[in-house]
Amino acid sequence: METHRKEREARPTTAVGTPDGTDAQAHGAERDQPPSTSAAHRGRWDREALETVLRRRFFFAPAFEIYGGVAGLYDYGPPGCAMKNNLVQMWRQHFVLEEGMLELDGPALTPDPVLRTSGHVDKFQDWMVRDTETAACYRADHLLRDALQARLDDPTLSAARSSAERQDMERTLAHVDELTADELAAALRRFDVRAPDTNNPVSAPYSFNLMFQTQIGPTGTIPAYLRPETAQGMFVNFRRLLDYVGGRMPFACAQIGLAYRNEISPRAGLLRVREFMQAEIEHFVHPERKAHPRFHRVADDVLVLFPRDRQSAPPDSERHRVVRMRAGEAVAAAVIDNQTLAYFMARTQSFAYSIGLRPEHLRFRQHLANEMAHYARDCWDLEVETSYGWIECVGLADRACYDLKAHSEVSKVELVALDKYDEPRTVQVFEAVPVKRVIGQRFKRDARRLIELLQTRLDEVAKLRLHEALQTRGSHELDGFTITPDMVEFQRVSRTVHSETYYPSVIEPSFGIGRLLYCVLEHAFYVRAGDDEARAVLRLMPAMAPLKCAVLPLSKNEVFDPLLQRVSTALTRAAISFRADDSNASIGKRYARADELGIPFGITIDFDSVSDATVTVRERDSMQQLRGDIDAVVQAIADMCRGEAHWKSVSEERERYGLQRFEGQQTTHG
Amino acid sequence: METHRKEREARPTTAVGTPDGTDAQAHGAERDQPPSTSAAHRGRWDREALETVLRRRFFFAPAFEIYGGVAGLYDYGPPGCAMKNNLVQMWRQHFVLEEGMLELDGPALTPDPVLRTSGHVDKFQDWMVRDTETAACYRADHLLRDALQARLDDPTLSAARSSAERQDMERTLAHVDELTADELAAALRRFDVRAPDTNNPVSAPYSFNLMFQTQIGPTGTIPAYLRPETAQGMFVNFRRLLDYVGGRMPFACAQIGLAYRNEISPRAGLLRVREFMQAEIEHFVHPERKAHPRFHRVADDVLVLFPRDRQSAPPDSERHRVVRMRAGEAVAAAVIDNQTLAYFMARTQSFAYSIGLRPEHLRFRQHLANEMAHYARDCWDLEVETSYGWIECVGLADRACYDLKAHSEVSKVELVALDKYDEPRTVQVFEAVPVKRVIGQRFKRDARRLIELLQTRLDEVAKLRLHEALQTRGSHELDGFTITPDMVEFQRVSRTVHSETYYPSVIEPSFGIGRLLYCVLEHAFYVRAGDDEARAVLRLMPAMAPLKCAVLPLSKNEVFDPLLQRVSTALTRAAISFRADDSNASIGKRYARADELGIPFGITIDFDSVSDATVTVRERDSMQQLRGDIDAVVQAIADMCRGEAHWKSVSEERERYGLQRFEGQQTTHG
């Protein structure tokens, strides 16, 4: 189960502010998969070699393969599963515990009304076309993009093409993510795009909802979906959560859980799958007070930003590139909208570093205006550069008050917070006073209902609207009543208020766990020359490594058993996960096996160990070794796994640890 | 998402050995919910008071409540979510890490063929009836049980009833879990059971599959289900897992994940829900070598057993009760089938103790013969006594070779292990040698296919069956061929073999995480007299508690802020989760709030703290306090949270910790 194109931003596109209200967000998402996995990327990361290791060592593999498999569903094998658990634990430590967040855990099965209100039922969709003869399905935008790219890449076709036609192709290709259904249809016709497998014509684009549908209960009367994001579960629980924190704003809630999208054509391994794990945070805050109390701690963190205006600059220009800025500066210069959003960006960046993503391949890309929902204030994606190009792994969005307002309106449960003023305030309010006599005469028995409506159920905006309508048109329809100017008197009055209720704004950092995991693996992978063959190594942080230590007796000999037992006991007591490998393979081969799994440390038990109870510890990347007694070695490993020391610091302070340099024979095989 | 009636044993009932092949397992499952939540239980555990606390403090609550909710779906709020994470972490430590198991993490979305092979598509069902007028649905067995119980409980009705009728009712009630569809139908007719809401007649029982169905992909061509158990994901990965351990048998794999069942009428809170978390282990072992290498470590553990023969003894007899036996004895006396099964039972029992379940309310109940699948060797449930009666929380089954064999047959991928002999062995094999000349004349072009079939595709059993058929009936049909005695010569030959392949047996411990969590809460709950009112307390183990420490400044006064900061920093550094409560409520009220959340320790900062930087630590259940400087207090708490010390040991060794007894003023409010 894992990551995803739009893991961070599953909101449907009802609310997207493109002129025609179509699928700008979903298209925008495609940015993370540029058509070219360019030669530069392929050179930097050898994806094929990596994938061979990941499959062979069962980090993950296609699920249900003995039955032919299902695209977009993966099993995490033991090392992948351990790494995923590590990643989730580190995320929980970094965000939930260190930030004092609440954590919620709700069901993936979600009844229709929740996802109808959020807009997913009506609008969470892709555009598809069908082969008019075989009925095979294709994503319309993918089909168009691939066809145009292929034609532009083909030199013979290029030669025969007019420059106007070529320009049309290039322009269309550049904007393929932003096309409406009509524009897609027109482009497919104009370029005569056909089904690639059969060369048959394709149908007009039609919509396909990406949620998995099912029914709850024996009579099938409760239509439900597998949630396409975890966020909604936190919104619908807002009142309980606010109650849990005793009404104190602001506060944040996190949820780590599975989400599902019925992708039309899943691909790119863990990057686009149908079942994936999200870790989402909803930080609820007063819409006008988005300063963050701990912002000073991150204000000097340098963020790598790719703001909107720089993305829009011509691709070859000096401006079209990232800018490094302190978080504090970025807020002061209004590059990032507010402190809370910038705070989470800085925390996200430090999290990315802590799991082993390489700083030089990270950037925050701001959403273009047409990528954002109309209600959103500001959105940034943490993008990670891999062999697939820049991959969106975390989305950080200021979603204003949209979500809580929408659920309040439909559910009739007010998801609001209360702000008690320190001092009472005097405010000007606009009042609509019913003229009871006139209303009584006109509406008789219904009069009371209208009076109550005017007195209690109109908010400021509704009153202003009523006032304007009566002045300009002389009457106004409201809840079945025709109201005329003689029924209402309007006045502005001063009021002393002690508090206000408001819909909180939501700042939402949303992490794709599987995507992050895959990116960590790409950044960690390298190949080094060995004695007989090149050897794959995963340079994983100790905290992320699936196992922390390999334990290797020099050979399969009973003489080593008692020591193996002692080392195992010491490691278990120190809560260091390990794998004893007492197979007959050479020490070098066994080191190589451990390197492939990203195991950072290896303890070797040799014949000297038997006499003096010392062992060696070897570090994966430097291949250096230190020697000392079992407790000293285990202590050093424990410190390094907890991040309290590094190999370099342990080597330098080896005397304090009771360790010595070691250049023994097994080193040469390592 | 959580626990479940059959969390541990989701296998369908195709394979169940009841005479008519019907749903004995599903019925058997009902045992955990006796019709009576008897007065005795209600007295022991005050479920209503507990549920009030659990809801008010948001341990869990019905999901999607602002939209009216959906039965059987729950949200875990912050304390419930933290406890669930603790439970999962402890489980992983106790089983995966300490036992050196593999861990797998596969998707919940499962394509049809996998669950067809396992039998779930055809047979994972409940019997339902419909109100013949309103079409409302009921579970047939529940309806019958509730109706009979109500009539037996009603004294006026009882008086008017013949003793034969009464006996019929009692007998039927006692066996309601074991009735076939026909018997259910007959009983509903015989007792004239009607729809409880309308008193209308009900339809004949019909089957309802409990899996949630959906489709994968845009054309809906891949029917799929949400898995009803996590086990199948491990079976279909057997080859990869065996490869991962280098072919070494035996080995175990665990999976912690969500499973789903479309319950007809979910109820009983977390005990029967539609989305729940399982933690399952599949231990793969040679069918004839089920000794366990670490059995000696548990051989003296005393298990509380309720074996089959004792369950069958008359309910009032001396024999009808549990027996305490050492694990070693139980295997020696063949009460438990084998060491591996007994090993996991002992490990399960120690796990249950470690999470805070109370030994006096635990027992292992053996499955009756008609509860087990025909292929199963032996099955035991860990049952936990609660206000609902005895609840099945863990199932431990020796499932023989059934699962791997079934998937091998359908997928055509052999899920077998290889046993290499230390010494070559001579074995007698039965051979069927085709008489090529005769076959060639008879079948011409098809002859080759039959020859190959005889030479390579018949196993020992098939050969014996063919031999017998030819001897007794003179011919045998095989794959479309009519074989006669002149075509095959049979012979017994000696062969030297170096290895054998075999289908491993599976020993399966299967845990319902939500059920365990709920039982822990019931066992931890008590009420104690307070100054002004009775106060609810959750006596949770520190390791299970949602938070480990409350930090309470005596009052909301800035003078305490620097110390609050110092205590927070010290706790964070020691990785102790805490909650600072600097509200204006009295210390006593704030202790009470912490007690309700099961927080084991409270640090109080008072005016003396300001002058000498000492603080008090208060223990939840004894309400005793100790005082010392911040580091000493944090060190003691850290030791107790890690299970390395208890309040009693810390109190006794208080001088070593640098602590003193404290009877200060805030104690009286605690």
Side-chain angles (χ1 to χ4, degrees):
Chain A
M1 49 209 71
E2 277 314 305
T3 54
H4 213 268
R5 173 170 59 106
K6 295 300 288 177
E7 238 153 298
R8 55 106 198 130
E9 176 55 86
R11 261 17 134 301
T13 51
T14 18
V16 170
T18 46
D20 53 1
T22 49
D23 205 4
Q25 274 198 356
H27 293 153
E30 292 304 300
R31 281 172 202 289
D32 61 21
Q33 298 211 351
S36 59
T37 46
S38 74
H41 290 140
R42 273 198 296 269
R44 207 175 298 166
W45 291 290
D46 186 346
R47 192 198 303 162
E48 207 178 303
L50 170 64
E51 281 181 352
T52 304
V53 171
L54 296 182
R55 271 194 83 132
R56 185 156 42 75
R57 305 308 302 271
F58 199 7
F59 280 79
F60 57 88
F64 313 116
E65 218 173 15
I66 67 169
Y67 285 95
V70 177
L73 296 179
Y74 285 85
D75 289 316
Y76 286 96
C81 185
M83 283 185 71
K84 189 174 150 206
N85 292 339
N86 293 341
L87 183 53
V88 167
Q89 264 325 106
M90 290 170 78
W91 192 91
R92 185 172 277 133
Q93 177 65 33
H94 190 88
F95 290 103
V96 180
L97 300 178
E98 288 179 22
E99 300 287 342
M101 291 178 186
L102 309 185
E103 189 179 343
L104 184 82
D105 184 3
L109 270 174
T110 305
D112 179 278
V114 175
L115 293 165
R116 200 169 282 280
T117 300
S118 68
H120 287 93
V121 173
D122 293 327
K123 301 284 176 175
F124 188 56
Q125 57 185 34
D126 273 342
W127 295 105
M128 308 209 359
V129 293
R130 194 174 277 135
D131 182 315
T132 49
E133 292 182 24
T134 68
C137 299
Y138 302 92
R139 255 183 79 166
D141 55 342
H142 286 183
L143 192 66
L144 176 61
R145 188 178 66 190
D146 295 349
L148 293 181
Q149 190 66 53
R151 290 180 207 181
L152 287 168
D153 287 351
D154 184 328
T156 40
L157 283 177
S158 278
R161 192 168 291 127
S162 74
S163 94
E165 199 183 354
R166 192 177 168 85
Q167 274 172 19
D168 184 12
M169 284 185 177
E170 284 173 347
R171 202 171 39 240
T172 306
L173 188 59
H175 295 278
V176 76
D177 297 340
E178 296 147 36
L179 299 182
T180 67
D182 288 347
E183 288 165 353
L184 266 176
L188 290 167
R189 272 198 310 275
R190 188 162 77 251
F191 297 113
D192 189 28
V193 174
R194 287 158 174 269
D197 303 323
T198 61
N199 209 35
N200 292 328
V202 295
S203 71
Y206 61 94
S207 73
F208 171 69
N209 192 296
L210 294 177
M211 292 194 293
F212 289 100
Q213 189 169 8
T214 190
Q215 274 99 34
I216 298 176
T219 49
T221 43
I222 309 178
Y225 302 90
L226 297 178
R227 64 183 173 197
E229 58 170 13
T230 65
Q232 300 302 325
M234 294 183 269
F235 298 141
V236 300
N237 269 299
F238 176 75
R239 292 228 300 194
R240 283 191 191 127
L241 296 168
L242 182 65
D243 196 43
Y244 186 79
V245 295
R248 286 198 199 184
M249 291 285 292
F251 73 94
C253 183
Q255 181 162 215
I256 304 170
L258 294 176
Y260 294 81
R261 299 191 197 158
N262 198 358
E263 288 290 343
I264 295 170
S265 45
R267 49 183 182 170
L270 291 190
L271 297 181
R272 180 162 315 180
V273 294
R274 285 171 162 151
E275 179 173 331
F276 56 96
M277 180 170 273
Q278 282 189 318
E280 293 194 298
I281 295 165
E282 309 297 332
H283 180 93
F284 298 103
V285 62
H286 191 290
E288 285 141 34
R289 295 202 291 274
K290 292 180 182 168
H292 193 285
R294 292 187 293 281
F295 188 70
H296 63 275
R297 295 195 195 168
V298 304
D300 286 336
D301 287 12
V302 175
L303 302 176
V304 181
L305 304 177
F306 195 21
R308 196 177 293 149
D309 61 325
R310 287 175 167 261
Q311 293 171 58
S312 317
D316 301 328
S317 71
E318 182 65 10
R319 256 191 93 62
H320 189 89
R321 62 181 196 190
V322 298
V323 55
R324 277 157 227 279
M325 267 181 131
R326 287 174 207 280
E329 279 174 70
V331 175
V335 175
I336 300 171
D337 183 77
N338 60 70
Q339 273 193 6
T340 299
L341 185 57
Y343 180 77
F344 280 114
M345 288 169 67
R347 291 288 288 159
T348 296
Q349 184 173 281
S350 63
F351 178 71
Y353 293 171
S354 76
I355 61 175
L357 291 175
R358 314 189 74 165
E360 65 273 29
H361 300 300
L362 297 180
R363 71 179 184 197
F364 286 102
R365 189 184 67 79
Q366 189 174 33
H367 280 208
L368 301 178
N370 65 0
E371 283 179 84
M372 292 205 301
H374 68 86
Y375 49 79
R377 287 280 303 233
D378 196 8
C379 299
W380 294 81
D381 289 342
L382 177 75
E383 295 188 333
V384 182
E385 197 178 20
T386 70
S387 68
Y388 290 99
W390 285 97
I391 301 297
E392 170 212 329
C393 286
V394 185
L396 299 110
D398 180 338
R399 303 179 47 77
C401 312
Y402 180 77
D403 308 285
L404 295 181
K405 227 170 183 166
H407 283 296
S408 298
E409 274 162 21
V410 180
S411 72
K412 308 293 178 206
V413 175
E414 284 294 338
L415 305 177
V416 291
L418 179 74
D419 190 13
K420 283 191 195 148
Y421 300 139
D422 295 333
E423 305 277 315
R425 296 183 196 173
T426 304
V427 293
Q428 295 290 321
V429 288
F430 189 65
E431 285 214 333
V433 182
V435 180
K436 293 186 187 172
R437 186 183 45 80
V438 179
I439 292 175
Q441 285 172 353
R442 199 81 50 88
F443 296 109
K444 315 285 181 202
R445 269 181 307 181
D446 285 336
R448 226 170 130 170
R449 195 160 64 82
L450 177 56
I451 290 167
E452 195 192 307
L453 190 154
L454 291 169
Q455 284 177 331
T456 64
R457 287 182 41 215
L458 299 184
D459 64 13
E460 196 78 3
V461 174
K463 286 176 201 161
L464 287 167
R465 200 177 291 143
L466 174 62
H467 181 242
E468 190 193 346
L470 294 180
Q471 283 202 317
T472 57
R473 293 200 299 276
S475 77
H476 187 65
E477 293 291 322
L478 202 68
D479 238 14
F481 295 100
T482 302
I483 302 174
T484 49
D486 53 340
M487 296 180 194
V488 202
E489 282 168 8
F490 292 92
Q491 55 194 49
R492 290 201 173 273
V493 293
S494 288
R495 276 268 175 78
T496 302
V497 292
H498 299 268
S499 65
E500 61 165 327
T501 57
Y502 63 95
Y503 291 110
S505 273
V506 167
I507 313 269
E508 179 187 82
S510 172
F511 293 68
I513 297 297
R515 282 191 169 194
L516 284 168
L517 182 60
Y518 179 77
C519 293
V520 166
L521 288 166
E522 271 215 8
H523 286 195
F525 181 72
Y526 70 101
V527 175
R528 72 172 157 225
D531 288 354
D532 29 19
E533 52 185 335
R535 280 170 174 173
V537 186
L538 286 171
R539 188 197 284 119
L540 298 172
M541 303 285 223
M544 276 295 290
L547 295 160
K548 314 307 179 198
C549 189
V551 184
L552 314 172
L554 200 58
S555 64
K556 212 183 172 94
N557 187 324
E558 281 175 17
V559 74
F560 299 125
D561 288 352
L563 277 164
L564 179 54
Q565 194 52 55
R566 278 182 57 190
V567 170
S568 302
T569 306
L571 289 170
T572 302
R573 201 180 312 126
I576 297 167
S577 61
F578 66 96
R579 175 179 169 138
D581 183 352
D582 61 353
S583 66
N584 271 323
S586 73
I587 282 282
K589 269 230 159 54
R590 284 184 280 157
Y591 277 149
R593 279 187 205 154
D595 292 346
E596 271 190 352
L597 286 175
I599 301 177
F601 307 109
I603 291 178
T604 309
I605 301 169
D606 55 24
F607 287 104
D608 288 341
S609 309
V610 178
S611 56
D612 66 2
T614 62
V615 294
T616 59
V617 52
R618 174 240 196 208
E619 195 269 338
R620 178 192 59 211
D621 301 302
S622 66
M623 295 187 288
Q624 292 171 348
Q625 298 191 78
L626 293 168
R627 190 165 187 113
D629 66 31
I630 293 171
D631 288 342
V633 163
V634 169
Q635 181 62 51
I637 293 175
D639 285 359
M640 291 186 283
C641 288
R642 274 199 303 271
E644 291 170 11
H646 303 276
W647 183 255
K648 197 160 167 286
S649 68
V650 169
S651 298
E652 284 165 6
E653 300 174 46
R654 58 186 178 274
E655 284 177 24
R656 188 171 67 76
Y657 279 99
L659 300 172
Q660 299 158 21
R661 278 192 212 281
F662 183 74
E663 309 280 349
Q665 201 182 349
Q666 63 269 44
T667 325
T668 59
H669 301 278
Chain B
M1 48 207 74
E2 275 316 303
T3 52
H4 213 269
R5 176 170 57 107
K6 296 298 289 177
E7 238 154 298
R8 56 104 199 130
E9 177 53 88
R11 262 18 135 299
T13 52
T14 15
V16 170
T18 45
D20 52 3
T22 48
D23 206 4
Q25 274 198 356
H27 294 154
E30 292 306 298
R31 283 173 200 288
D32 60 22
Q33 298 213 348
S36 60
T37 47
S38 75
H41 289 140
R42 272 197 296 268
R44 206 174 299 165
W45 292 290
D46 186 348
R47 193 198 303 161
E48 208 178 303
L50 170 63
E51 281 182 352
T52 304
V53 171
L54 297 182
R55 268 193 86 133
R56 186 156 42 75
R57 305 308 301 270
F58 200 7
F59 281 79
F60 56 88
F64 314 114
E65 220 173 14
I66 67 169
Y67 285 95
V70 178
L73 295 180
Y74 286 85
D75 288 316
Y76 286 96
C81 184
M83 283 184 70
K84 190 174 150 207
N85 292 339
N86 293 341
L87 183 53
V88 167
Q89 265 323 110
M90 289 169 78
W91 193 91
R92 185 172 277 135
Q93 177 65 34
H94 190 88
F95 290 104
V96 180
L97 299 178
E98 288 178 23
E99 299 288 342
M101 291 178 185
L102 309 186
E103 188 180 344
L104 184 80
D105 182 3
L109 271 175
T110 305
D112 179 276
V114 175
L115 293 164
R116 200 169 281 280
T117 301
S118 68
H120 287 92
V121 172
D122 293 326
K123 300 283 176 176
F124 188 56
Q125 58 186 32
D126 273 342
W127 294 106
M128 309 209 357
V129 292
R130 193 175 278 136
D131 181 317
T132 50
E133 292 181 23
T134 68
C137 299
Y138 302 93
R139 254 183 79 167
D141 55 342
H142 286 182
L143 192 66
L144 176 62
R145 188 178 67 189
D146 294 349
L148 293 181
Q149 191 64 53
R151 292 181 207 181
L152 288 167
D153 287 351
D154 185 329
T156 39
L157 284 176
S158 278
R161 193 169 289 129
S162 74
S163 93
E165 201 184 352
R166 193 178 166 83
Q167 274 173 21
D168 185 10
M169 283 185 178
E170 282 172 347
R171 203 173 38 242
T172 306
L173 189 59
H175 295 279
V176 74
D177 298 339
E178 296 148 33
L179 299 182
T180 66
D182 289 346
E183 289 164 354
L184 265 174
L188 289 167
R189 272 197 310 273
R190 186 161 79 250
F191 298 112
D192 189 26
V193 174
R194 287 159 174 269
D197 302 322
T198 60
N199 211 34
N200 292 329
V202 296
S203 71
Y206 61 94
S207 74
F208 171 69
N209 193 296
L210 295 177
M211 292 194 294
F212 289 100
Q213 190 170 8
T214 190
Q215 274 99 35
I216 298 175
T219 49
T221 43
I222 309 179
Y225 302 90
L226 296 179
R227 63 183 174 197
E229 58 171 16
T230 64
Q232 300 303 324
M234 293 183 270
F235 299 142
V236 299
N237 268 299
F238 176 75
R239 292 229 300 194
R240 282 192 192 127
L241 295 169
L242 182 65
D243 195 43
Y244 186 79
V245 295
R248 286 198 199 184
M249 290 287 292
F251 74 93
C253 182
Q255 181 161 217
I256 304 170
L258 294 176
Y260 294 81
R261 298 189 200 159
N262 198 358
E263 287 291 343
I264 295 169
S265 47
R267 48 184 184 171
L270 291 190
L271 298 181
R272 180 162 314 180
V273 294
R274 285 170 161 152
E275 178 170 332
F276 55 96
M277 182 170 271
Q278 283 190 317
E280 294 196 297
I281 296 164
E282 309 297 332
H283 180 93
F284 299 103
V285 61
H286 191 288
E288 285 141 34
R289 295 202 290 274
K290 292 179 182 169
H292 193 284
R294 291 186 294 281
F295 188 70
H296 62 276
R297 296 196 195 167
V298 304
D300 286 337
D301 287 12
V302 175
L303 302 176
V304 181
L305 302 177
F306 194 21
R308 196 175 294 149
D309 61 326
R310 287 176 166 260
Q311 295 170 58
S312 317
D316 301 327
S317 71
E318 183 65 9
R319 255 190 93 62
H320 188 90
R321 60 179 198 191
V322 299
V323 55
R324 277 157 227 280
M325 266 181 132
R326 286 174 207 278
E329 280 173 69
V331 175
V335 175
I336 300 171
D337 184 78
N338 61 71
Q339 273 193 6
T340 298
L341 185 57
Y343 179 78
F344 280 113
M345 288 169 66
R347 291 286 290 157
T348 296
Q349 183 173 282
S350 62
F351 178 71
Y353 295 170
S354 74
I355 61 174
L357 291 174
R358 314 188 74 166
E360 65 273 28
H361 300 300
L362 297 180
R363 71 180 184 196
F364 286 101
R365 190 183 67 77
Q366 190 174 32
H367 279 210
L368 301 178
N370 66 0
E371 282 179 86
M372 292 204 302
H374 69 88
Y375 49 80
R377 288 281 302 233
D378 195 8
C379 299
W380 294 81
D381 289 342
L382 176 76
E383 295 189 331
V384 182
E385 198 179 18
T386 69
S387 67
Y388 290 99
W390 286 96
I391 301 297
E392 170 213 330
C393 287
V394 186
L396 299 110
D398 180 338
R399 304 178 46 77
C401 312
Y402 179 78
D403 307 286
L404 295 180
K405 226 169 182 167
H407 283 295
S408 298
E409 273 162 20
V410 180
S411 73
K412 308 293 178 206
V413 176
E414 286 293 339
L415 305 177
V416 291
L418 179 74
D419 189 16
K420 282 191 195 148
Y421 301 139
D422 296 334
E423 305 277 314
R425 295 183 197 174
T426 303
V427 293
Q428 294 290 321
V429 290
F430 190 65
E431 285 215 334
V433 182
V435 182
K436 292 186 185 170
R437 188 183 43 80
V438 179
I439 293 175
Q441 284 174 355
R442 198 82 48 90
F443 296 109
K444 316 285 182 200
R445 268 182 307 180
D446 286 335
R448 226 170 128 169
R449 195 159 64 82
L450 177 56
I451 291 167
E452 195 192 306
L453 189 157
L454 292 169
Q455 284 176 330
T456 64
R457 287 181 42 215
L458 299 185
D459 64 15
E460 197 78 2
V461 175
K463 285 176 201 162
L464 287 166
R465 198 176 293 143
L466 175 62
H467 182 241
E468 190 192 346
L470 294 180
Q471 284 201 317
T472 56
R473 293 200 298 277
S475 79
H476 188 66
E477 293 289 322
L478 202 70
D479 238 16
F481 295 100
T482 303
I483 301 174
T484 49
D486 53 338
M487 298 179 193
V488 201
E489 283 166 8
F490 291 92
Q491 55 194 49
R492 291 200 172 274
V493 292
S494 288
R495 278 267 176 79
T496 302
V497 291
H498 300 267
S499 65
E500 61 165 327
T501 58
Y502 62 95
Y503 291 109
S505 273
V506 168
I507 314 270
E508 179 187 82
S510 171
F511 293 68
I513 296 298
R515 285 192 165 191
L516 285 169
L517 181 60
Y518 179 78
C519 294
V520 166
L521 288 166
E522 272 213 9
H523 285 196
F525 181 72
Y526 70 101
V527 175
R528 72 171 157 225
D531 288 354
D532 30 19
E533 53 186 335
R535 281 170 173 174
V537 186
L538 288 171
R539 190 197 281 119
L540 298 171
M541 303 283 222
M544 276 295 289
L547 294 161
K548 312 308 178 196
C549 189
V551 184
L552 313 173
L554 199 59
S555 64
K556 212 183 172 92
N557 186 326
E558 281 177 15
V559 74
F560 298 126
D561 288 353
L563 277 163
L564 179 56
Q565 194 51 54
R566 277 182 58 191
V567 171
S568 302
T569 305
L571 289 169
T572 302
R573 202 179 312 124
I576 296 167
S577 62
F578 66 96
R579 173 180 170 136
D581 183 351
D582 60 355
S583 66
N584 272 322
S586 73
I587 281 283
K589 271 230 159 55
R590 283 182 281 157
Y591 277 150
R593 276 186 206 156
D595 292 346
E596 272 190 350
L597 285 176
I599 301 177
F601 308 109
I603 291 178
T604 309
I605 301 169
D606 55 23
F607 287 105
D608 287 342
S609 308
V610 178
S611 57
D612 67 2
T614 63
V615 294
T616 60
V617 55
R618 174 241 196 205
E619 195 268 338
R620 178 191 59 210
D621 301 302
S622 66
M623 295 187 289
Q624 292 171 349
Q625 299 191 77
L626 292 169
R627 189 166 188 113
D629 68 31
I630 293 171
D631 288 343
V633 164
V634 169
Q635 181 62 51
I637 293 175
D639 284 0
M640 293 186 282
C641 288
R642 272 199 305 270
E644 290 170 11
H646 302 277
W647 183 255
K648 196 159 167 289
S649 69
V650 169
S651 298
E652 285 165 7
E653 299 175 47
R654 57 186 178 275
E655 284 177 25
R656 190 170 66 75
Y657 279 101
L659 300 172
Q660 298 159 24
R661 276 195 213 283
F662 182 73
E663 308 280 350
Q665 201 185 346
Q666 63 269 42
T667 326
T668 59
H669 302 277

